[in-house]
Amino acid sequence: MKRPRMSLLPPGGNGTIIRTGRVGKSFGSSAENDGLAPEANTADSASTISLEDEGMGCRASRVIEGGPDSNMRASRFCSGEAAENAMLYSSHPVQRFTRAKRRLATHHSSQIDDPVSTAFAGWSCKMRWSQLDARVQQAAAEEVLDFIGDLIAGRAAIGMPAWLDVYVDDAVSKSATIAGGHRSAAWTAAMANGYFGHVLELDDTHDIAVLHAGASAIPAALAAAEWRGKASGATVMEAIVAGIELSCRLGVATDMSLVEGGWIYSALLGHFGATLAASHVLGLSEDETRHALGIVYCFTCGNHQSSREGAPTKHLQPGIAASNGVKAALMAQKGLKGVSAPFVGEDGFARAYLQGRFDVERAIRDLGQDFETARLSMKPYPSCRLTHPAVSAALELRDELGEHLSQVEFVTISMGKQAHDVVGRAVPFRLRPYVG
């Protein structure tokens, strides 16, 4: 009888060293193996499995008999993931393949119901433009017009940065349009247009959520529409409302400020809004949409450090969210399964990113009846929204002082802690901001 063969397993969580050989093969051990007495067997029908843990100073071995149940014998030396791996990598190819298929088939059998992703997926799939309140339709139309204007102005002012050529030149698919006429892959167009639409700091603001909602949702919806090829204007507008609504509702459902978390919510929350928008345009089912939201959780990013330093990447981050949202939706459409509880799972968004400071009920309250989209503000000045009170006050003061303006020696401005931390620090690039 041939000796059973066992493939190399991943290292144990305790740093176990893995070695392999024809006889005396080694695989990850655990503390449970301490104290096992070595055994020897040189029969041709068996192989010795050795467990070595240099950190713990333990060494143990057991004889694994050949035959159909050898995988079960092997599993006695492992625990948790290692035990599953030992069974998957057993000596018999047919059994190994069968178990692998069974494991993949049942991988999602214990899914957790996420009330946030479930609510938004169901609402988005059922939403129809004609059924939306006129006030919401007007707000959405103004939002799109505002963003398109910001997009054109940003492209005209910035030109085509050389770093964008990295994406444009590498794109095999030319399915979507970048402002200025370039054609590229849908996710690249979403990123570039998100960047251009945000770069002049003229795009919308939700004052409570503290984010720019359209900078991710709108370019994602437009890119997905070009990818699909046959998307009505109503469908695109529905998608934009859905994406903006999700981003804003996530923002109002947390009381963690940008400074506390170190995040920038336009990008961080924009990932989910962009994904919902793209999913709606692509016509994904409720189940596929939930998976898309679970997929994009793996992509989610957006940090406040770029704002602290005044780095150009601050303006790129909503575009990254738009790009990742399109990718996540397309991956879900092609069958990739995402995590089932991206928001409320044990290691979901609420805990991992917001330290548990997330009100699920607030996020989904009156969904489809009360719209945060209608509460967006359109910027009068091309600067961070937190600077606008001071700008408005200065303009009013200038008008009041008239010919006495030259007599002003200094101005004292009072602001909240978050506004001060974000825009009020006396750092060089804020005292003399770059304009060009």
Side-chain angles (χ1 to χ4, degrees):
M1 183 181 295
K2 293 184 178 180
R3 291 185 175 89
R5 303 176 68 86
M6 184 167 283
S7 301
L8 180 66
L9 300 180
N14 52 14
T16 300
I17 303 299
I18 295 178
R19 299 186 179 86
T20 58
R22 187 169 181 79
V23 176
K25 305 176 184 68
S26 302
F27 60 101
S29 67
S30 71
E32 294 178 3
N33 303 126
D34 292 352
L36 290 177
E39 293 183 5
N41 190 318
T42 57
D44 289 340
S45 62
S47 287
T48 300
I49 307 300
S50 299
L51 299 91
E52 303 180 9
D53 189 326
E54 295 185 351
M56 297 292 292
C58 69
R59 177 185 178 86
S61 62
R62 281 290 187 272
V63 175
I64 306 302
E65 301 291 342
D69 66 339
S70 63
N71 57 301
M72 297 303 292
R73 296 282 189 93
S75 68
R76 67 182 291 196
F77 299 109
C78 311
S79 63
E81 186 68 19
E84 294 181 6
N85 285 333
M87 294 179 68
L88 279 176
Y89 289 91
S90 69
S91 58
H92 300 277
V94 175
Q95 290 183 357
R96 183 172 68 232
F97 179 69
T98 301
R99 287 190 180 88
K101 285 180 65 179
R102 188 182 303 127
R103 185 181 182 186
L104 288 173
T106 60
H107 184 68
H108 295 277
S109 62
S110 60
Q111 289 188 346
I112 302 170
D113 180 32
D114 189 313
V116 179
S117 58
T118 297
F120 276 95
W123 169 68
S124 175
C125 288
K126 295 180 178 66
M127 192 211 326
R128 295 296 177 266
W129 177 253
S130 61
Q131 297 173 359
L132 293 177
D133 184 83
R135 185 172 66 102
V136 176
Q137 292 182 337
Q138 180 66 26
E142 291 177 356
E143 168 72 5
V144 172
L145 288 174
D146 179 77
F147 180 81
I148 296 299
D150 299 336
L151 172 63
I152 294 172
R155 177 64 173 84
I158 300 300
M160 191 67 176
W163 55 264
L164 265 177
D165 290 341
V166 174
Y167 291 90
V168 176
D169 293 344
D170 189 48
V172 176
S173 170
K174 305 291 184 181
S175 57
T177 308
I178 297 174
H182 289 84
R183 299 284 294 176
S184 71
W187 46 88
T188 298
M191 185 192 67
N193 289 333
Y195 167 73
F196 286 133
H198 182 58
V199 70
L200 296 185
E201 289 284 354
L202 265 171
D203 49 323
D204 70 42
T205 298
H206 191 288
D207 292 334
I208 305 302
V210 193
L211 53 75
H212 305 277
S216 298
I218 295 175
L222 295 176
E226 287 197 84
W227 173 280
R228 183 176 179 178
K230 295 180 180 179
S232 68
T235 297
V236 174
M237 293 301 294
E238 292 163 5
I240 291 170
V241 171
I244 289 175
E245 198 66 20
L246 176 52
S247 295
C248 291
R249 281 173 168 266
L250 292 176
V252 299
T254 181
D255 64 355
M256 177 177 285
S257 73
L258 304 178
V259 177
E260 286 181 280
W263 309 118
I264 190 160
Y265 288 148
S266 302
L268 189 73
L269 307 182
H271 273 78
F272 298 107
T275 301
L276 191 63
S279 296
H280 187 92
V281 171
L282 293 173
L284 269 58
S285 67
E286 289 186 32
D287 190 53
E288 290 171 329
T289 301
R290 285 193 296 269
H291 282 302
L293 292 171
I295 293 167
V296 85
Y297 179 41
C298 299
F299 293 158
T300 303
C301 59
N303 64 79
H304 190 246
Q305 187 63 25
S306 57
S307 295
R308 289 193 182 279
E309 298 184 14
T313 48
K314 189 272 184 188
H315 300 117
L316 176 62
Q317 291 191 80
I320 293 173
S323 177
N324 287 339
V326 172
K327 289 178 184 177
L330 289 171
M331 289 176 178
Q333 188 180 54
K334 293 295 185 180
L336 180 63
K337 308 299 183 184
V339 297
S340 60
F343 297 106
V344 302
E346 185 175 358
D347 291 312
F349 186 80
R351 189 195 73 80
Y353 286 80
L354 302 177
Q355 300 175 21
R357 293 164 61 177
F358 179 70
D359 186 346
V360 173
E361 191 277 331
R362 178 64 185 86
I364 61 178
R365 182 195 305 160
D366 297 328
L367 181 61
Q369 302 299 320
D370 183 37
F371 286 83
E372 296 298 333
T373 303
R375 299 186 177 96
L376 291 174
S377 300
M378 300 300 148
K379 284 186 177 181
Y381 317 119
S383 61
C384 178
R385 178 68 166 171
L386 295 174
T387 68
H388 287 192
V391 173
S392 296
L395 291 175
E396 291 181 13
L397 185 59
R398 183 188 64 179
D399 292 340
E400 289 181 13
L401 292 173
E403 61 183 18
H404 303 293
L405 182 62
S406 61
Q407 299 176 21
V408 175
E409 296 182 356
F410 66 90
V411 175
T412 300
I413 300 174
S414 298
M415 62 182 66
K417 183 179 185 303
Q418 178 173 248
H420 177 268
D421 284 343
V422 175
V423 300
R425 293 184 176 183
V427 293
F429 77 88
R430 297 198 188 283
L431 295 175
R432 294 178 177 79
Y434 168 78
V435 179

